Amino acid sequence: MPMQSQDTFAGIVRRAEKSRDAMRQWFPLLEELAHYFYNDRQGFLAEQTPGQEMNIDIWDSSPEGHRARLSQAFVDAMCPRDRYWVGMETANKQLMLQDEVRLWCQITSYVMYLVIHDPRSNFIEAMAELGDDSCSFGTAVMFIDYDNKGRHLVFQCKHLKNIAVDVDANGKILRHYCWWPMSVEDMVNEFGIDAIPADMANEYRQARDGGGCSEKKFEVIHAVIASDDYARYGAGIGRKQYRSLWILKQGNHLLSE
């Protein structure tokens, strides 16, 4: 059952902000690591100014060079160039003994490889950033989306300053949050005009009639949380293990689920 309570969304926003505040204690360390190993990924404590010299006090490029080579080795190990690295097989291993099933898995793996490596997917660039983040900070986050208009996957490596997670006592991730700066036009393009608050929708309509639509950016929180219905009833029609919620922080307004 979709959540409808505004208080529930406000609680998710509060939990997300609390998790991000806890993440901020790592920003000085991440900023220093970026300064020496990965200058293009600075900006944890302050916004970067385009054209600004970021490594004016770095006299030895060896750390950055070592990071780049380690990152490339990391990516090559995950996605080797000399073979179709995407592999699929059935959960029931006995089915793999059938020739027809093996052939289907091989064809599906090949098609998935082509889908991932579609030039429009940004996979190669995103994997390079993923490797650089992993080798610089010890962790990285990949966002995988689907372009409904172009009908293709889109890969994007997110900046760690916009990421927060809740974990249990064993370190298992329970909830994942990502912050996206979006203008009114961005939200309309992503979620549709009916999904945004009425005042923003009116502003957008006036802009289309010749007015000016503000370029102000609003914080949208993408929260991925466990589904209570799935935990209670298990898998079923309309029930998935996790819920993907897009919430406009201003007003705790649900944009999409």
Side-chain angles (χ1 to χ4, degrees):
M1 180 183 298
M3 294 184 295
Q4 301 294 336
S5 170
Q6 201 73 5
D7 291 338
T8 302
F9 302 137
I12 293 174
V13 170
R14 285 195 299 269
R15 187 188 293 272
E17 290 295 321
K18 182 178 179 181
S19 298
R20 182 162 66 166
D21 288 341
M23 180 66 182
R24 284 195 176 104
Q25 67 181 329
W26 292 95
F27 284 5
L29 174 60
L30 298 179
E31 182 82 5
E32 186 172 3
L33 289 171
H35 185 58
Y36 289 104
F37 293 100
Y38 191 15
N39 251 279
D40 292 340
R41 211 60 165 169
Q42 285 197 18
F44 290 94
L45 299 177
E47 293 298 324
Q48 288 182 260
T49 302
Q52 180 182 358
E53 182 65 46
M54 301 300 296
N55 57 352
I56 193 171
D57 59 336
I58 303 296
W59 301 96
D60 184 359
S61 61
S62 297
E64 189 167 4
H66 290 317
R67 184 268 305 160
R69 288 189 289 274
L70 178 61
S71 173
Q72 186 60 57
F74 175 82
V75 175
D76 289 344
M78 292 183 64
C79 312
R81 302 178 183 181
D82 59 345
R83 62 183 174 87
Y84 295 116
W85 53 269
V86 178
M88 295 187 181
E89 60 181 26
T90 59
N92 183 347
K93 306 302 181 184
Q94 291 296 320
L95 291 176
M96 294 299 294
L97 299 176
Q98 301 179 24
D99 293 339
E100 296 86 350
V101 174
R102 286 201 307 274
L103 178 61
W104 185 90
C105 289
Q106 291 171 4
I107 294 174
T108 305
S109 300
Y110 175 69
V111 171
M112 193 64 195
Y113 179 90
L114 296 179
V115 168
I116 291 174
H117 283 275
D118 185 323
R120 300 170 297 175
S121 73
N122 194 49
F123 177 75
I124 300 299
E125 296 82 355
M127 276 302 300
E129 288 188 11
L130 191 82
D132 286 332
D133 273 9
S134 297
C135 295
S136 300
F137 313 120
T139 189
V141 175
M142 176 82 81
F143 179 75
I144 305 174
D145 198 8
Y146 184 73
D147 187 317
N148 290 311
K149 294 181 180 179
R151 299 179 64 82
H152 61 85
L153 293 177
V154 179
F155 295 84
Q156 182 179 2
C157 188
K158 297 299 294 179
H159 198 296
L160 293 178
K161 71 177 180 181
N162 296 320
I163 298 295
V165 295
D166 290 335
V167 298
D168 63 15
N170 298 316
K172 179 183 177 181
I173 295 178
L174 300 175
R175 290 169 287 272
H176 176 279
Y177 310 103
C178 183
W179 282 258
W180 297 72
M182 289 188 175
S183 66
V184 173
E185 186 174 3
D186 293 335
M187 286 184 274
V188 171
N189 291 336
E190 183 69 26
F191 307 109
I193 194 169
D194 294 333
I196 65 177
D199 56 337
M200 290 184 175
N202 291 333
E203 177 188 351
Y204 181 77
R205 292 189 180 96
Q206 291 173 5
R208 286 192 303 179
D209 294 336
C213 194
S214 172
E215 289 300 316
K216 177 183 177 182
K217 297 291 186 178
F218 299 87
E219 281 196 325
V220 174
I221 300 174
H222 181 208
V224 180
I225 63 178
S227 168
D228 292 336
D229 284 350
Y230 183 92
R232 186 177 298 112
Y233 303 112
I237 298 176
R239 288 195 301 271
K240 297 183 179 181
Q241 189 172 0
Y242 295 96
R243 313 179 72 165
S244 174
L245 304 171
W246 294 81
I247 304 173
L248 175 63
K249 181 180 173 182
Q250 178 175 302
N252 305 315
H253 179 84
L254 179 68
L255 295 169
S256 175
E257 177 176 2

